Amino acid sequence: DEPRLVTKYQTQFDKLYGELLAKIPSPATETAVTEKEPKHFIGLSISHLGKILGEDSMLSDSDKKMMWGACRNQYVRGKGEIVSSSVDPQTGPTVVIRDEGGVQIEILLDANESDKISKTSGGEVVNYTGRLLAHPETAHNSFKLDSGSLN
């Protein structure tokens, strides 16, 4: 029964990974250079990505590394509850959010988002976007995003 289960999860991984790669444009297909780089969003929530890359995942470590390699530096969006927020003179505005799936996310916001920090409070539900920088190595760590914004 275990080989069928592994085959099932490998098939699901291959499908998700293929869909993800299809959404990421290759440099050869980019036509115009714009003032700002376009944001390439992955089609997965942080919670779903956490399940794929997490300790309880049925994927092998090499499959997890391959999946993370395809997701790293790509953008995600979601909704979550503010746990804490701060503005550090060195790093800028930062917010910690717990998403709808309970996954904790630390987001370094763009400098122009500083005013939003003072207007938000713990427990408030917000929409966020950001670029994936790091994923949790253990269940006690959080995802880290930069180039973030709150809506």
PDB file of all heavy atoms in Angstrom, residues 13 48-57 59 63-69 71 135-137 143:
ATOM      1  N   PHE A  13       2.868  15.993  -6.732  1.00  0.00           N
ATOM      2  CA  PHE A  13       4.002  16.915  -6.748  1.00  0.00           C
ATOM      3  C   PHE A  13       4.379  17.279  -8.184  1.00  0.00           C
ATOM      4  O   PHE A  13       4.570  18.450  -8.499  1.00  0.00           O
ATOM      5  CB  PHE A  13       5.212  16.300  -6.039  1.00  0.00           C
ATOM      6  CG  PHE A  13       6.464  17.121  -6.225  1.00  0.00           C
ATOM      7  CD1 PHE A  13       6.667  18.258  -5.474  1.00  0.00           C
ATOM      8  CD2 PHE A  13       7.414  16.754  -7.171  1.00  0.00           C
ATOM      9  CE1 PHE A  13       7.809  19.019  -5.652  1.00  0.00           C
ATOM     10  CE2 PHE A  13       8.546  17.512  -7.358  1.00  0.00           C
ATOM     11  CZ  PHE A  13       8.750  18.648  -6.592  1.00  0.00           C
ATOM     12  N   HIS A  48      -0.267  26.055   1.814  1.00  0.00           N
ATOM     13  CA  HIS A  48      -0.086  24.901   0.934  1.00  0.00           C
ATOM     14  C   HIS A  48       1.402  24.638   0.704  1.00  0.00           C
ATOM     15  O   HIS A  48       1.858  23.489   0.749  1.00  0.00           O
ATOM     16  CB  HIS A  48      -0.816  25.136  -0.391  1.00  0.00           C
ATOM     17  CG  HIS A  48      -0.975  23.904  -1.201  1.00  0.00           C
ATOM     18  ND1 HIS A  48      -1.991  23.002  -0.993  1.00  0.00           N
ATOM     19  CD2 HIS A  48      -0.204  23.396  -2.197  1.00  0.00           C
ATOM     20  CE1 HIS A  48      -1.853  22.001  -1.839  1.00  0.00           C
ATOM     21  NE2 HIS A  48      -0.785  22.215  -2.575  1.00  0.00           N
ATOM     22  N   LEU A  49       2.157  25.692   0.483  1.00  0.00           N
ATOM     23  CA  LEU A  49       3.598  25.546   0.292  1.00  0.00           C
ATOM     24  C   LEU A  49       4.240  24.970   1.553  1.00  0.00           C
ATOM     25  O   LEU A  49       5.128  24.113   1.468  1.00  0.00           O
ATOM     26  CB  LEU A  49       4.218  26.903  -0.068  1.00  0.00           C
ATOM     27  CG  LEU A  49       5.670  26.908  -0.499  1.00  0.00           C
ATOM     28  CD1 LEU A  49       5.897  26.008  -1.707  1.00  0.00           C
ATOM     29  CD2 LEU A  49       6.118  28.328  -0.801  1.00  0.00           C
ATOM     30  N   GLY A  50       3.764  25.399   2.723  1.00  0.00           N
ATOM     31  CA  GLY A  50       4.278  24.863   3.981  1.00  0.00           C
ATOM     32  C   GLY A  50       4.024  23.372   4.118  1.00  0.00           C
ATOM     33  O   GLY A  50       4.868  22.632   4.623  1.00  0.00           O
ATOM     34  N   LYS A  51       2.870  22.917   3.643  1.00  0.00           N
ATOM     35  CA  LYS A  51       2.574  21.479   3.689  1.00  0.00           C
ATOM     36  C   LYS A  51       3.476  20.710   2.739  1.00  0.00           C
ATOM     37  O   LYS A  51       3.932  19.613   3.049  1.00  0.00           O
ATOM     38  CB  LYS A  51       1.107  21.233   3.338  1.00  0.00           C
ATOM     39  CG  LYS A  51       0.161  21.673   4.422  1.00  0.00           C
ATOM     40  CD  LYS A  51      -1.278  21.497   4.007  1.00  0.00           C
ATOM     41  CE  LYS A  51      -2.205  22.083   5.058  1.00  0.00           C
ATOM     42  NZ  LYS A  51      -3.598  22.097   4.644  1.00  0.00           N
ATOM     43  N   ILE A  52       3.742  21.278   1.572  1.00  0.00           N
ATOM     44  CA  ILE A  52       4.592  20.613   0.586  1.00  0.00           C
ATOM     45  C   ILE A  52       6.031  20.515   1.083  1.00  0.00           C
ATOM     46  O   ILE A  52       6.691  19.496   0.913  1.00  0.00           O
ATOM     47  CB  ILE A  52       4.545  21.362  -0.768  1.00  0.00           C
ATOM     48  CG1 ILE A  52       3.155  21.223  -1.394  1.00  0.00           C
ATOM     49  CG2 ILE A  52       5.617  20.853  -1.719  1.00  0.00           C
ATOM     50  CD1 ILE A  52       2.937  22.109  -2.603  1.00  0.00           C
ATOM     51  N   LEU A  53       6.521  21.591   1.725  1.00  0.00           N
ATOM     52  CA  LEU A  53       7.916  21.638   2.155  1.00  0.00           C
ATOM     53  C   LEU A  53       8.122  21.190   3.598  1.00  0.00           C
ATOM     54  O   LEU A  53       9.248  21.055   4.049  1.00  0.00           O
ATOM     55  CB  LEU A  53       8.453  23.071   2.008  1.00  0.00           C
ATOM     56  CG  LEU A  53       8.427  23.654   0.602  1.00  0.00           C
ATOM     57  CD1 LEU A  53       8.827  25.123   0.640  1.00  0.00           C
ATOM     58  CD2 LEU A  53       9.322  22.867  -0.332  1.00  0.00           C
ATOM     59  N   GLY A  54       7.048  20.963   4.342  1.00  0.00           N
ATOM     60  CA  GLY A  54       7.119  20.684   5.772  1.00  0.00           C
ATOM     61  C   GLY A  54       7.629  19.315   6.137  1.00  0.00           C
ATOM     62  O   GLY A  54       7.823  18.435   5.293  1.00  0.00           O
ATOM     63  N   GLU A  55       7.816  19.146   7.433  1.00  0.00           N
ATOM     64  CA  GLU A  55       8.349  17.893   7.980  1.00  0.00           C
ATOM     65  C   GLU A  55       7.428  16.705   7.725  1.00  0.00           C
ATOM     66  O   GLU A  55       7.886  15.582   7.616  1.00  0.00           O
ATOM     67  CB  GLU A  55       8.584  18.053   9.486  1.00  0.00           C
ATOM     68  CG  GLU A  55       9.663  19.064   9.826  1.00  0.00           C
ATOM     69  CD  GLU A  55       9.747  19.366  11.311  1.00  0.00           C
ATOM     70  OE1 GLU A  55       8.824  19.003  12.060  1.00  0.00           O
ATOM     71  OE2 GLU A  55      10.748  19.967  11.713  1.00  0.00           O
ATOM     72  N   ASP A  56       6.118  16.943   7.646  1.00  0.00           N
ATOM     73  CA  ASP A  56       5.159  15.858   7.461  1.00  0.00           C
ATOM     74  C   ASP A  56       4.911  15.528   5.991  1.00  0.00           C
ATOM     75  O   ASP A  56       4.118  14.647   5.682  1.00  0.00           O
ATOM     76  CB  ASP A  56       3.824  16.213   8.131  1.00  0.00           C
ATOM     77  CG  ASP A  56       3.966  16.329   9.642  1.00  0.00           C
ATOM     78  OD1 ASP A  56       4.876  15.682  10.205  1.00  0.00           O
ATOM     79  OD2 ASP A  56       3.178  17.072  10.257  1.00  0.00           O
ATOM     80  N   SER A  57       5.571  16.225   5.102  1.00  0.00           N
ATOM     81  CA  SER A  57       5.394  15.994   3.673  1.00  0.00           C
ATOM     82  C   SER A  57       5.923  14.620   3.283  1.00  0.00           C
ATOM     83  O   SER A  57       6.904  14.127   3.847  1.00  0.00           O
ATOM     84  CB  SER A  57       6.133  17.070   2.877  1.00  0.00           C
ATOM     85  OG  SER A  57       6.125  16.756   1.504  1.00  0.00           O
ATOM     86  N   LEU A  59       7.169  14.088   0.379  1.00  0.00           N
ATOM     87  CA  LEU A  59       8.188  14.300  -0.645  1.00  0.00           C
ATOM     88  C   LEU A  59       9.583  14.031  -0.089  1.00  0.00           C
ATOM     89  O   LEU A  59       9.842  14.243   1.098  1.00  0.00           O
ATOM     90  CB  LEU A  59       8.130  15.734  -1.167  1.00  0.00           C
ATOM     91  CG  LEU A  59       6.870  16.146  -1.898  1.00  0.00           C
ATOM     92  CD1 LEU A  59       6.954  17.605  -2.293  1.00  0.00           C
ATOM     93  CD2 LEU A  59       6.625  15.274  -3.110  1.00  0.00           C
ATOM     94  N   ASP A  63      13.204  16.429  -3.662  1.00  0.00           N
ATOM     95  CA  ASP A  63      12.013  17.013  -4.279  1.00  0.00           C
ATOM     96  C   ASP A  63      11.631  18.321  -3.600  1.00  0.00           C
ATOM     97  O   ASP A  63      11.221  19.283  -4.249  1.00  0.00           O
ATOM     98  CB  ASP A  63      10.827  16.047  -4.235  1.00  0.00           C
ATOM     99  CG  ASP A  63      10.946  14.929  -5.258  1.00  0.00           C
ATOM    100  OD1 ASP A  63      11.759  15.063  -6.193  1.00  0.00           O
ATOM    101  OD2 ASP A  63      10.222  13.923  -5.108  1.00  0.00           O
ATOM    102  N   LYS A  64      11.767  18.365  -2.273  1.00  0.00           N
ATOM    103  CA  LYS A  64      11.477  19.600  -1.545  1.00  0.00           C
ATOM    104  C   LYS A  64      12.433  20.710  -1.972  1.00  0.00           C
ATOM    105  O   LYS A  64      12.015  21.852  -2.180  1.00  0.00           O
ATOM    106  CB  LYS A  64      11.591  19.377  -0.031  1.00  0.00           C
ATOM    107  CG  LYS A  64      10.487  18.538   0.553  1.00  0.00           C
ATOM    108  CD  LYS A  64      10.730  18.362   2.048  1.00  0.00           C
ATOM    109  CE  LYS A  64       9.799  17.358   2.662  1.00  0.00           C
ATOM    110  NZ  LYS A  64      10.062  17.174   4.101  1.00  0.00           N
ATOM    111  N   LYS A  65      13.719  20.375  -2.107  1.00  0.00           N
ATOM    112  CA  LYS A  65      14.705  21.378  -2.534  1.00  0.00           C
ATOM    113  C   LYS A  65      14.393  21.869  -3.940  1.00  0.00           C
ATOM    114  O   LYS A  65      14.520  23.056  -4.234  1.00  0.00           O
ATOM    115  CB  LYS A  65      16.117  20.791  -2.477  1.00  0.00           C
ATOM    116  CG  LYS A  65      16.653  20.690  -1.075  1.00  0.00           C
ATOM    117  CD  LYS A  65      18.051  20.103  -1.056  1.00  0.00           C
ATOM    118  CE  LYS A  65      18.517  19.920   0.368  1.00  0.00           C
ATOM    119  NZ  LYS A  65      19.819  19.271   0.451  1.00  0.00           N
ATOM    120  N   MET A  66      13.995  20.962  -4.812  1.00  0.00           N
ATOM    121  CA  MET A  66      13.652  21.340  -6.178  1.00  0.00           C
ATOM    122  C   MET A  66      12.436  22.265  -6.179  1.00  0.00           C
ATOM    123  O   MET A  66      12.407  23.278  -6.873  1.00  0.00           O
ATOM    124  CB  MET A  66      13.380  20.088  -7.019  1.00  0.00           C
ATOM    125  CG  MET A  66      13.206  20.369  -8.487  1.00  0.00           C
ATOM    126  SD  MET A  66      13.181  18.866  -9.515  1.00  0.00           S
ATOM    127  CE  MET A  66      11.791  17.989  -8.848  1.00  0.00           C
ATOM    128  N   MET A  67      11.438  21.935  -5.381  1.00  0.00           N
ATOM    129  CA  MET A  67      10.227  22.752  -5.299  1.00  0.00           C
ATOM    130  C   MET A  67      10.564  24.132  -4.744  1.00  0.00           C
ATOM    131  O   MET A  67      10.119  25.147  -5.271  1.00  0.00           O
ATOM    132  CB  MET A  67       9.184  22.051  -4.423  1.00  0.00           C
ATOM    133  CG  MET A  67       7.882  22.765  -4.328  1.00  0.00           C
ATOM    134  SD  MET A  67       7.042  22.726  -5.916  1.00  0.00           S
ATOM    135  CE  MET A  67       5.445  23.291  -5.418  1.00  0.00           C
ATOM    136  N   TRP A  68      11.349  24.187  -3.671  1.00  0.00           N
ATOM    137  CA  TRP A  68      11.724  25.469  -3.090  1.00  0.00           C
ATOM    138  C   TRP A  68      12.540  26.285  -4.093  1.00  0.00           C
ATOM    139  O   TRP A  68      12.358  27.500  -4.205  1.00  0.00           O
ATOM    140  CB  TRP A  68      12.496  25.298  -1.785  1.00  0.00           C
ATOM    141  CG  TRP A  68      13.005  26.617  -1.275  1.00  0.00           C
ATOM    142  CD1 TRP A  68      14.296  27.018  -1.162  1.00  0.00           C
ATOM    143  CD2 TRP A  68      12.208  27.734  -0.850  1.00  0.00           C
ATOM    144  NE1 TRP A  68      14.364  28.298  -0.685  1.00  0.00           N
ATOM    145  CE2 TRP A  68      13.084  28.766  -0.492  1.00  0.00           C
ATOM    146  CE3 TRP A  68      10.835  27.951  -0.749  1.00  0.00           C
ATOM    147  CZ2 TRP A  68      12.651  30.001  -0.030  1.00  0.00           C
ATOM    148  CZ3 TRP A  68      10.392  29.184  -0.289  1.00  0.00           C
ATOM    149  CH2 TRP A  68      11.295  30.188   0.061  1.00  0.00           C
ATOM    150  N   GLY A  69      13.409  25.633  -4.833  1.00  0.00           N
ATOM    151  CA  GLY A  69      14.197  26.344  -5.838  1.00  0.00           C
ATOM    152  C   GLY A  69      13.328  27.026  -6.882  1.00  0.00           C
ATOM    153  O   GLY A  69      13.645  28.114  -7.367  1.00  0.00           O
ATOM    154  N   CYS A  71      10.248  28.082  -6.275  1.00  0.00           N
ATOM    155  CA  CYS A  71       9.396  29.077  -5.600  1.00  0.00           C
ATOM    156  C   CYS A  71      10.175  30.276  -5.062  1.00  0.00           C
ATOM    157  O   CYS A  71       9.645  31.383  -4.998  1.00  0.00           O
ATOM    158  CB  CYS A  71       8.648  28.432  -4.439  1.00  0.00           C
ATOM    159  SG  CYS A  71       7.457  27.189  -4.948  1.00  0.00           S
ATOM    160  N   HIS A 135      12.062  29.645   3.827  1.00  0.00           N
ATOM    161  CA  HIS A 135      10.971  28.821   4.350  1.00  0.00           C
ATOM    162  C   HIS A 135      11.430  28.190   5.652  1.00  0.00           C
ATOM    163  O   HIS A 135      12.622  28.078   5.917  1.00  0.00           O
ATOM    164  CB  HIS A 135      10.524  27.774   3.331  1.00  0.00           C
ATOM    165  CG  HIS A 135      11.517  26.692   3.067  1.00  0.00           C
ATOM    166  ND1 HIS A 135      11.589  25.555   3.815  1.00  0.00           N
ATOM    167  CD2 HIS A 135      12.492  26.591   2.131  1.00  0.00           C
ATOM    168  CE1 HIS A 135      12.555  24.770   3.349  1.00  0.00           C
ATOM    169  NE2 HIS A 135      13.130  25.384   2.334  1.00  0.00           N
ATOM    170  N   PRO A 136      10.473  27.788   6.475  1.00  0.00           N
ATOM    171  CA  PRO A 136      10.834  27.234   7.782  1.00  0.00           C
ATOM    172  C   PRO A 136      11.618  25.936   7.649  1.00  0.00           C
ATOM    173  O   PRO A 136      11.241  25.056   6.890  1.00  0.00           O
ATOM    174  CB  PRO A 136       9.480  26.963   8.446  1.00  0.00           C
ATOM    175  CG  PRO A 136       8.461  27.640   7.627  1.00  0.00           C
ATOM    176  CD  PRO A 136       9.035  27.845   6.273  1.00  0.00           C
ATOM    177  N   GLU A 137      12.697  25.846   8.400  1.00  0.00           N
ATOM    178  CA  GLU A 137      13.457  24.594   8.456  1.00  0.00           C
ATOM    179  C   GLU A 137      12.830  23.664   9.492  1.00  0.00           C
ATOM    180  O   GLU A 137      12.990  22.465   9.429  1.00  0.00           O
ATOM    181  CB  GLU A 137      14.923  24.871   8.806  1.00  0.00           C
ATOM    182  CG  GLU A 137      15.654  25.688   7.751  1.00  0.00           C
ATOM    183  CD  GLU A 137      15.785  24.979   6.415  1.00  0.00           C
ATOM    184  OE1 GLU A 137      15.919  23.744   6.381  1.00  0.00           O
ATOM    185  OE2 GLU A 137      15.749  25.669   5.388  1.00  0.00           O
ATOM    186  N   PHE A 143       8.009  31.546   7.529  1.00  0.00           N
ATOM    187  CA  PHE A 143       8.387  31.955   6.184  1.00  0.00           C
ATOM    188  C   PHE A 143       8.862  33.395   6.261  1.00  0.00           C
ATOM    189  O   PHE A 143       8.370  34.174   7.091  1.00  0.00           O
ATOM    190  CB  PHE A 143       7.192  31.876   5.235  1.00  0.00           C
ATOM    191  CG  PHE A 143       6.934  30.502   4.694  1.00  0.00           C
ATOM    192  CD1 PHE A 143       6.105  29.628   5.358  1.00  0.00           C
ATOM    193  CD2 PHE A 143       7.517  30.090   3.503  1.00  0.00           C
ATOM    194  CE1 PHE A 143       5.855  28.352   4.857  1.00  0.00           C
ATOM    195  CE2 PHE A 143       7.278  28.830   2.991  1.00  0.00           C
ATOM    196  CZ  PHE A 143       6.453  27.963   3.669  1.00  0.00           C
TER     197      PHE A 143
END
